[in-house]
Amino acid sequence: MSVEASIESIDALHEEDRLEAALAMADDALGQHPGDAGLLLRKARLLGALDRGDEAMDMYERQRVTLLATRPRTPHHWQEAGFSLYEQAHLARRLGRGPESRALILEAVARLGSIALPAAWYEAADWAWEDGEHDVAGRLYHDAMFKAGECFDRQIQPIVERLRSLGEEHSHHWVWTALMRASLPEADDPDQQSHARAIAAMYERTGGLPAALRIRARVREYAGDLEGAAADLDAYMAQVPDPRAQVWRVLLDYKMGQPVDLEGIRWTEHRKLGGGDYYSAGCEFAEVVELLKEREGLYTNTIDLARVSAVEGEAYELGAARFEHYFATGEGGPLDAEPHIYAMLCNNLAINGYYRQERFAEAIPWHEKGWAVSPFWEQYHGRLSCQTRSGQWAGAVESWKVLNHTFGSQWPAEQLADEVAWAYDQLEQPAQVLEVLAHCNAQANTPLQELIADISAETRRVALMALAAKAAAKLGQRPRVEQITRELLASDRLSEGLCQHLAQAWRLLGDEAQAERCAQALNTPAAEQPALPDGHAPDVATMLGWTELLALNDGYAVLRLQPEASGWQFELRKNGESEIGNQPIYVQIRQGNHETDGDSPAPVPTWHLGVLSEQPGIFGRLRGKGSSQRLCLAHSPTGHAPPAEWKDIPPTQLPPVWPELQRRVAEANAAWQQLTGSITVERIVATIEKLHSLGVDHSRDINLGTCRIGPNINDAGATWVSLTIDRKLDTDPTLPDLAYDPYHFIYQVVPATDSTAAYPIYGLQDGAGSGRHIEPGDAALARAASQLFERAIKRLDRWARAAAQ
């Protein structure tokens, strides 16, 4: 019979109280499997139940020696030893061996960890109290209330009664400290002041134990004495290297309105600290990060979040070292002993120490370590994400299959569906992409159009649909492509990346017209461009018409057109003094985007093409002749002053740039008309008011999925809407979510003065921090500013409707 079958039979006989038969079966099984720790444990229990105490005590010892000699030794071996010690301690207590029972249960607590059996902590304290070891019991009660996995009122009340039974005159410092902990109120208790006074009085009886100082700091914080709490916490940290206290101290600074420097925290390695201390510190650190994100708008982009997450990851690294040293040697305390906490630490370390730093391949082993100890779905969720981001496509598929096999429908498969579809896409397995879509459709409870409240889910859904469109196209399933296209094009979650995926799907089907329709789906209609003359030579009428351009009459008076593929740069001005005289309109033409270098600008051949207005001479005026306009062209081989370098040349010697110049001027003016006609002062103000109605204050923003948008105001009273687009994610929703290339579009209202009306200006700041005004000559940027604003407002309107429901 196998060991497992034998154990099952022995346990059944034990439950039926057939102890002698169970013991005989245990002996038989041990004859076949003499070194099995599970069988030895059953025999020890049976011997104890049969009142063969000394034999049982020896058997427990033998069982643990066998257990811990097993190789490879796993983290769970020590915890299994803890359960054995716990049973043996109860047996020793029943046999009247008080000191031995206390030693055994203390070792059991150390081996069991903090959450496996919280009752053991309280029992250890009870036994010490019953045996007159009051200070030992006080410390155990204190530790149980702080460190065990649960601490409820039903447990605290009898502890308080027991501690108070010693009266008011005793000098057991740990008893007073435990009573302080048991008297600590909830944070929302309305009578914090009286609690603070009571705990302060108890503190005077603790002999200044650091643990008591920490408790007084907490109740002072609850009572609103933040400076007193900070002073107590500083004194506590000077004696105890508690990493959680460092996080708490930063939080006190924040509450007192002082500068907060989370990134300045440096964790300390100390032999008295357990792996659980570092795990808890990391988790509390993460809570402070979330608080600052929510209240202060900090760490909202992946670059800032990566920096602060690296600090969190360092705490987990120290904790992992403590856990792994304990698992290898057994040296450590109860906060090193819990395998499940170690598994959770591995998951957090993989995410914050490696994933957020884009060290994806290095994160995978930590997810695997955690899974091996305590397999919860988040471990392989992280593993799959890291595998897709490091190009381990087959590994990602394996993680997906393991998750579905292990958890069935009991895990949120839709969170990873787009990623495994991405892996299948890279493996050229389109049928499997469609299987993933079907799997998620069967589990999804919310249609795409209702997902606005869950940005992450919506982003993943549309990415999966885009990949499914390509897969269906590869398999020739045109109706499926049509269905997905209809749904995505109707969604205000549409992005450039999605448009390109849909276009690619239609190109795979050979339908270029549909592909172009999808590719251009986000482009709002541009303002009508003026018809271009047929001629290829400059003419006066065309150039004089440019004096009416909005781009030259909107406060800028200059139209700068930076080089395109041809390399020609144009700068158009009106009513200006040029090198060849005063002209109603002229353009400077040069090749390349050349910058001057101090007092020694590089020589750049330059042409000035303009319209020169000439007055008639005296005899012409006498004959009634009016002014005339003619084209004039001047050339300089260097482009430098003085004007003597400039030579008049015939217009026929102008380089062949006239068609490009006409096109560029028309495009720039049309883009500027589109932007200024759409994004007006009134519309910017209305958007700010809508954001305020949604509870978004100045200098804050909300994440709409496609962008972040928020209102702002400066000291001069200028108000603006900031619109942040992550251009990498907007380009391709299947890119890693750590891809980050933020562009901040600014739509600002300059307030009215006594002499001028309010007017808008537009700006752009990229992720590197360099900013500039959007000017009429930048047609592409002006169009982008207009189109992205339209998309954001469409999205914001839907967001507001959802919030009102």
Side-chain angles (χ1 to χ4, degrees):
M1 184 182 297
S2 69
V3 170
E4 292 77 11
S6 296
I7 287 175
E8 186 176 342
S9 299
I10 293 167
D11 288 345
L13 289 170
H14 196 159
E15 289 175 9
E16 296 169 5
D17 207 26
R18 297 168 60 187
L19 302 180
E20 293 290 355
L23 182 59
M25 180 173 284
D27 284 333
D28 288 343
L30 282 167
Q32 300 176 49
H33 310 283
D36 186 81
L39 291 171
L40 291 169
L41 180 62
R42 266 68 183 180
K43 184 171 181 178
R45 289 171 178 168
L46 289 165
L47 289 169
L50 288 166
D51 292 328
R52 294 163 61 176
D54 290 339
E55 293 177 73
M57 292 290 284
D58 291 341
M59 189 57 62
Y60 275 116
E61 296 290 344
R62 179 182 166 191
Q63 182 266 342
R64 281 196 300 282
V65 169
T66 301
L67 174 69
L68 296 177
T70 305
R71 294 292 186 272
R73 184 184 290 166
T74 71
H76 294 284
H77 279 145
W78 295 106
Q79 197 169 70
E80 290 177 32
F83 283 109
S84 172
L85 285 159
Y86 178 73
E87 292 179 15
Q88 188 181 8
H90 276 266
L91 176 60
R93 196 77 179 170
R94 196 169 76 242
L95 295 173
R97 304 179 183 180
E100 187 177 0
S101 71
R102 293 202 310 275
L104 286 167
I105 202 168
L106 285 176
E107 188 178 354
V109 166
R111 298 299 185 203
L112 286 168
S114 57
I115 63 175
L117 189 61
W121 293 70
Y122 295 99
E123 286 179 301
D126 289 344
W127 292 0
W129 188 275
E130 291 167 4
D131 293 352
E133 299 286 345
H134 294 131
D135 253 334
V136 173
R139 176 153 196 171
L140 286 170
Y141 282 129
H142 167 274
D143 288 352
M145 287 183 281
F146 259 126
K147 299 177 182 178
E150 57 184 33
C151 182
F152 303 117
D153 288 342
R154 67 174 184 271
Q155 294 162 302
I156 291 180
Q157 189 55 40
I159 292 173
V160 171
E161 293 173 2
R162 175 165 279 182
L163 296 171
R164 288 198 178 280
S165 68
L166 290 182
E168 300 293 324
E169 301 304 322
H170 69 84
S171 58
H172 296 296
H173 296 157
W174 273 107
V175 172
W176 286 110
T177 302
L179 191 57
M180 287 176 68
R181 171 60 186 87
S183 305
L184 190 64
E186 297 294 327
D188 57 354
D189 192 301
D191 193 19
Q192 296 289 356
Q193 298 298 331
S194 63
H195 289 298
R197 288 191 294 271
I199 285 180
M202 285 186 267
Y203 175 77
E204 299 303 322
R205 310 296 298 275
T206 64
L209 285 175
L213 196 60
R214 187 185 192 283
I215 297 168
R216 190 176 71 172
R218 182 64 77 185
V219 78
R220 280 181 164 179
E221 177 190 6
Y222 289 168
D225 180 9
L226 299 181
E227 291 185 358
D232 278 353
L233 198 56
D234 288 340
Y236 167 74
M237 288 192 295
Q239 302 175 69
V240 179
D242 184 347
R244 294 167 301 173
Q246 290 180 262
V247 182
W248 180 10
R249 187 65 179 83
V250 169
L251 189 57
L252 284 175
D253 281 339
Y254 172 70
K255 291 181 177 180
M256 291 188 289
Q258 297 175 4
V260 174
D261 184 15
L262 279 178
E263 295 177 49
I265 286 182
R266 295 294 178 267
W267 312 108
T268 311
E269 183 178 7
H270 197 281
R271 60 182 179 81
K272 291 184 178 180
L273 295 173
D277 288 312
Y278 292 109
Y279 171 73
S280 297
C283 292
E284 291 173 19
F285 183 94
E287 291 176 5
V288 176
V289 171
E290 287 301 314
L291 175 72
L292 296 177
K293 285 174 68 174
E294 179 183 344
R295 294 188 181 177
E296 306 299 331
L298 300 175
Y299 312 117
T300 56
N301 69 58
T302 52
I303 295 174
D304 293 340
L305 185 58
R307 288 201 315 273
V308 77
S309 294
V311 179
E312 182 183 342
E314 289 168 2
Y316 299 135
E317 285 182 347
L318 290 172
R322 293 296 307 162
F323 275 115
E324 291 175 357
H325 175 76
Y326 173 83
F327 295 151
T329 66
E331 298 172 357
L335 294 186
D336 300 311
E338 178 52 63
H340 184 64
I341 290 180
Y342 170 71
M344 293 190 292
L345 179 146
C346 288
N347 188 58
N348 289 4
L349 174 55
I351 293 168
N352 294 282
Y354 296 95
Y355 179 90
R356 294 200 190 283
Q357 320 310 317
E358 302 191 42
R359 297 162 61 184
F360 306 118
E362 295 172 78
I364 293 172
W366 286 105
H367 283 305
E368 292 172 340
K369 283 184 179 183
W371 177 271
V373 173
S374 182
F376 48 90
W377 67 264
E378 289 89 347
Q379 296 280 13
Y380 262 36
H381 177 289
R383 182 180 190 249
L384 193 157
S385 291
C386 290
Q387 286 166 326
T388 55
R389 283 151 180 76
S390 55
Q392 300 180 35
W393 312 117
V397 168
E398 181 234 346
S399 293
W400 170 260
K401 290 179 178 178
V402 168
L403 284 165
N404 284 315
H405 174 75
T406 306
F407 301 104
S409 62
Q410 304 304 308
W411 74 286
E414 195 172 13
Q415 287 191 13
L416 282 179
D418 63 319
E419 300 207 26
V420 76
W422 183 18
Y424 277 127
D425 177 74
Q426 296 297 309
L427 292 170
E428 294 294 332
Q429 297 180 24
Q432 282 67 34
V433 174
L434 296 182
E435 285 182 7
V436 172
L437 178 63
H439 178 83
C440 287
N441 285 343
Q443 291 192 2
N445 298 318
T446 308
L448 174 62
Q449 63 271 20
E450 297 178 15
L451 275 176
I452 191 164
D454 190 338
I455 290 170
S456 176
E458 184 188 32
T459 302
R460 293 182 179 281
R461 181 83 63 83
V462 296
L464 174 59
M465 292 171 68
L467 290 165
K470 288 167 57 182
K474 290 178 181 179
L475 296 172
Q477 298 180 10
R478 184 183 180 100
R480 178 71 67 87
V481 179
E482 290 174 342
Q483 180 265 322
I484 293 173
T485 299
R486 282 194 301 272
E487 193 169 355
L488 286 182
L489 291 184
S491 170
D492 62 8
R493 185 56 181 79
L494 195 62
S495 70
E496 274 300 324
L498 293 175
C499 289
Q500 296 307 317
H501 280 292
L502 291 176
Q504 185 178 356
W506 283 105
R507 289 193 177 98
L508 289 170
L509 291 172
D511 193 329
E512 187 59 37
Q514 285 281 32
E516 187 62 20
R517 183 173 75 91
C518 291
Q520 300 301 321
L522 281 176
N523 293 336
T524 55
E528 184 177 352
Q529 297 185 12
L532 300 180
D534 294 332
H536 290 276
D539 62 278
V540 170
T542 298
M543 294 196 68
L544 287 176
W546 289 346
T547 63
E548 304 302 320
L549 293 176
L550 177 65
L552 287 179
N553 291 278
D554 201 24
Y556 287 90
V558 60
L559 188 63
R560 294 186 180 90
L561 305 173
Q562 299 301 322
E564 290 184 340
S566 67
W568 289 104
Q569 172 186 291
F570 307 100
E571 186 174 294
L572 189 64
R573 293 180 180 271
K574 60 177 286 187
N575 296 327
E577 183 69 32
S578 75
E579 284 77 358
I580 52 178
N582 189 18
Q583 298 176 310
I585 187 78
Y586 72 91
V587 59
Q588 176 180 277
I589 303 168
R590 56 174 57 189
Q591 195 160 30
N593 189 12
H594 299 278
E595 301 290 340
T596 59
D597 181 17
D599 295 329
S600 304
V604 182
T606 305
W607 291 262
H608 275 249
L609 174 65
V611 174
L612 188 63
S613 293
E614 295 180 319
Q615 298 298 323
I618 186 170
F619 295 109
R621 290 197 298 273
L622 291 174
R623 292 196 300 268
K625 187 177 180 180
S627 63
S628 61
Q629 288 89 23
R630 67 176 178 85
L631 286 174
C632 61
L633 180 66
H635 173 255
S636 168
T638 64
H640 299 163
E645 287 193 14
W646 292 86
K647 306 296 183 184
D648 289 338
I649 58 175
T652 55
Q653 293 186 18
L654 179 70
V657 297
W658 179 246
E660 178 182 345
L661 174 57
Q662 291 182 94
R663 174 184 60 80
R664 298 282 307 281
V665 169
E667 288 175 350
N669 193 58
W672 195 247
Q673 287 179 328
Q674 179 179 341
L675 176 59
T676 57
S678 172
I679 320 302
T680 60
V681 167
E682 293 74 19
R683 201 161 179 214
I684 297 170
V685 170
T687 301
I688 292 172
E689 291 174 351
K690 177 170 289 188
L691 287 165
H692 286 166
S693 72
L694 290 169
V696 185
D697 298 328
H698 286 303
S699 300
R700 300 287 301 280
D701 61 16
I702 56 174
N703 184 358
L704 298 180
T706 55
C707 63
R708 302 188 72 93
I709 187 169
N712 296 269
I713 187 169
N714 64 16
D715 293 340
T719 56
W720 69 92
V721 171
S722 65
L723 182 61
T724 302
I725 303 291
D726 184 343
R727 301 206 330 168
K728 286 186 178 177
L729 287 185
D730 191 60
T731 300
D732 188 345
T734 61
L735 278 172
D737 56 7
L738 297 184
Y740 193 63
D741 183 17
Y743 275 63
H744 310 286
F745 287 87
I746 296 167
Y747 308 85
Q748 181 171 331
V749 176
V750 178
T753 67
D754 292 340
S755 57
T756 62
Y759 63 92
I761 59 174
Y762 315 98
L764 174 78
Q765 180 177 324
D766 63 26
S770 60
R772 66 182 187 273
H773 284 171
I774 300 173
E775 297 185 357
D778 197 333
L781 196 53
R783 282 195 300 270
S786 176
Q787 292 169 358
L788 292 171
F789 187 87
E790 296 294 348
R791 284 172 55 193
I793 297 307
K794 180 180 178 182
R795 182 80 171 168
L796 182 62
D797 288 343
R798 182 175 162 219
W799 187 280
R801 290 194 300 271
Q805 292 176 355

